[in-house]
Amino acid sequence: MSGLLPVEEAQARLLALRGPLPPEKISFSEGFRRYILHDILAQRDQPAAPLSAMDGYAIRFDDLPGPWTIVGESAAGAAPGRTVNAGEAMRIFTGAIVPDGADTIIVQEDVAADGSTLTLTGDGPATRGSHIRPRASDFAAGDCLLPAGTRLTPGAIAAAAMSGAAQLVVGRRPRVAIVTTGDELVQAGRALTAGQIPDSNSPMLSALLAGEPAAVSLPHHVRDDRAILAKVLKDLARRHDVIVTVGGASVGDHDHVRGALQDAGGQIDFWKIAMRPGKPLIAGTIGDAVLLGLPGNPSSAFVTATLFLLPLVRHLAGARDPLPAIHQALLATALDGGGGRRDYLRARLENGRLTPLTGQDSGMTLPLATANALLIRDIAAPPRKAGALADYIVIA
Ligand code: AMP
Ligand code: MG
């Protein structure tokens, strides 16, 4: 099919429309799922001194099997205050600095203390250095702990906090407006008259964006009226980085997104992608905002949001790798060959095997509730037997 843009090309063009948003300084506890804008370099050694990994006694390995004279104690948070000399042991606790002179920790279960005399009762440490965490064994000052563009997981936040940095420098969250279009739509939960349907796409999009660094406004709904839509788009563009419309993206008499975008002074960058579902996707700009026009069918809206809206939001928020990761698994059933557009089949991945769901009509919503993967079938892909490999994207 000529004239349809390949998915990768469309994604690249969309992300090229606007660069990442300016930096913002936030506290470590606000960092979850944000993207750091600069490499996080360690400003300190971790640990900054050799630490005990156990509760016990710090000794010299050469003094084994003892006995020892107990000389003071080293607890977490303070300097040991004294060197350990030949024949001496210092009481020590987990996380405390190992005193100079000592090179090994005996766990307290292996010794008995009687006044200031310590004797070996168990096996004792097998090697010099036992139960000591050497200085910089986690990381050393100057190490790159997290490269720019990393998405902050709870674990990455732990590393950033330990680095010695004062705070996090992340990309600002894009402000996203969701605009539904269609005379037939009613806010979900409201009474319906003949011909009306609940709006399922805006709560679906809000849910998708809830896992992303985005500031999402309350959804707007516009009737199938080009002039009103143009006015709404123009107004929203002043206060948002991304406007995502749903519906009205195709060629019907009531599909007004492209016309309204132009009336509002915006530009279309591309329209129509070689994918199924989701062919009529629109991308463009209006003022400083990026407009993404998703098709209205529930499965089309979901698939195009996964492949385009989420990467756009991540890119604007500073992501280095904004596109969804593509994995491979074995097919649980045979799969027909591909056609003229790339398919993103709603599928279920279970025990490492992929099964496309029955009901691939883009108008269906129920398969979205059970799918946990999008099975990717390329243009003109040959038919495959059960057990063959297939690409997929995780969606739940
Ligand atoms: P459209 O892209 O406007 O031609 O819409 C395609 C199909 O998707 C139509 O059947 C619409 O009723 C349906 N649709 C459009 N927007 C929504 C929405 N927000 N929620 C659920 N269905 C929708
Ligand atoms: Mg419509």
Side-chain angles (χ1 to χ4, degrees), residues 230-292:
K231 196 173 165 302
V232 168
L233 295 182
K234 202 168 176 173
D235 180 48
L236 290 174
R238 289 194 200 101
R239 290 173 285 118
H240 294 88
D241 304 296
V242 176
I243 303 172
V244 47
T245 62
V246 220
S250 198
V251 292
D253 291 347
H254 302 283
D255 291 336
H256 295 306
V257 172
R258 282 179 308 132
L261 176 63
Q262 279 160 337
D263 294 351
Q267 272 95 40
I268 294 170
D269 188 78
F270 62 82
W271 179 46
K272 291 194 178 174
I273 317 295
M275 65 186 288
R276 189 171 62 175
K279 180 173 100 173
L281 182 81
I282 302 166
T285 52
I286 171 166
D288 289 335
V290 176
L291 179 130
L292 192 62

Side-chain angles (χ1 to χ4, degrees), residues 275-317:
M275 65 186 288
R276 189 171 62 175
K279 180 173 100 173
L281 182 81
I282 302 166
T285 52
I286 171 166
D288 289 335
V290 176
L291 179 130
L292 192 62
L294 308 182
N297 275 309
S299 292
S300 311
F302 181 87
V303 169
T304 49
T306 301
L307 289 167
F308 293 91
L309 176 61
L310 297 186
L312 174 63
V313 163
R314 292 170 188 161
H315 163 73
L316 293 174

Side-chain angles (χ1 to χ4, degrees), residues 83-249:
T83 297
V84 168
N85 299 308
E88 293 178 345
M90 188 182 284
R91 183 78 170 113
I92 195 163
F93 301 96
T94 304
I97 296 177
V98 176
D100 286 344
D103 58 13
T104 302
I105 306 297
I106 308 190
V107 298
Q108 63 188 40
E109 292 80 358
D110 275 359
V111 285
D114 182 8
S116 63
T117 303
L118 186 73
T119 47
L120 189 67
T121 54
D123 292 341
T127 53
R128 192 186 306 275
S130 283
H131 309 304
I132 292 179
R133 297 173 178 149
R135 177 175 184 162
S137 52
D138 193 350
F139 54 76
D143 286 355
C144 179
L145 306 186
L146 302 167
T150 297
R151 184 179 177 92
L152 289 166
T153 60
I157 290 171
M162 197 60 94
S163 74
Q167 54 197 341
L168 293 166
V169 181
V170 297
R172 176 164 77 65
R173 295 186 305 160
R175 300 159 299 173
V176 182
I178 298 171
V179 181
T180 56
T181 70
D183 290 352
E184 74 282 26
L185 294 175
V186 174
Q187 188 184 340
R190 297 257 169 98
L192 304 170
T193 58
Q196 292 185 320
I197 59 162
D199 162 24
S200 66
N201 283 333
S202 54
M204 177 275 292
L205 292 172
S206 300
L208 270 183
L209 290 168
E212 302 298 325
V216 185
S217 312
L218 284 177
H220 294 259
H221 178 66
V222 180
R223 288 191 290 118
D224 287 318
D225 180 311
R226 178 164 164 171
I228 298 176
L229 184 57
K231 196 173 165 302
V232 168
L233 295 182
K234 202 168 176 173
D235 180 48
L236 290 174
R238 289 194 200 101
R239 290 173 285 118
H240 294 88
D241 304 296
V242 176
I243 303 172
V244 47
T245 62
V246 220

Side-chain angles (χ1 to χ4, degrees), residues 21-32:
L21 295 168
E24 186 171 279
K25 289 183 178 170
I26 59 169
S27 70
F28 296 102
S29 49
E30 294 171 307
F32 186 43

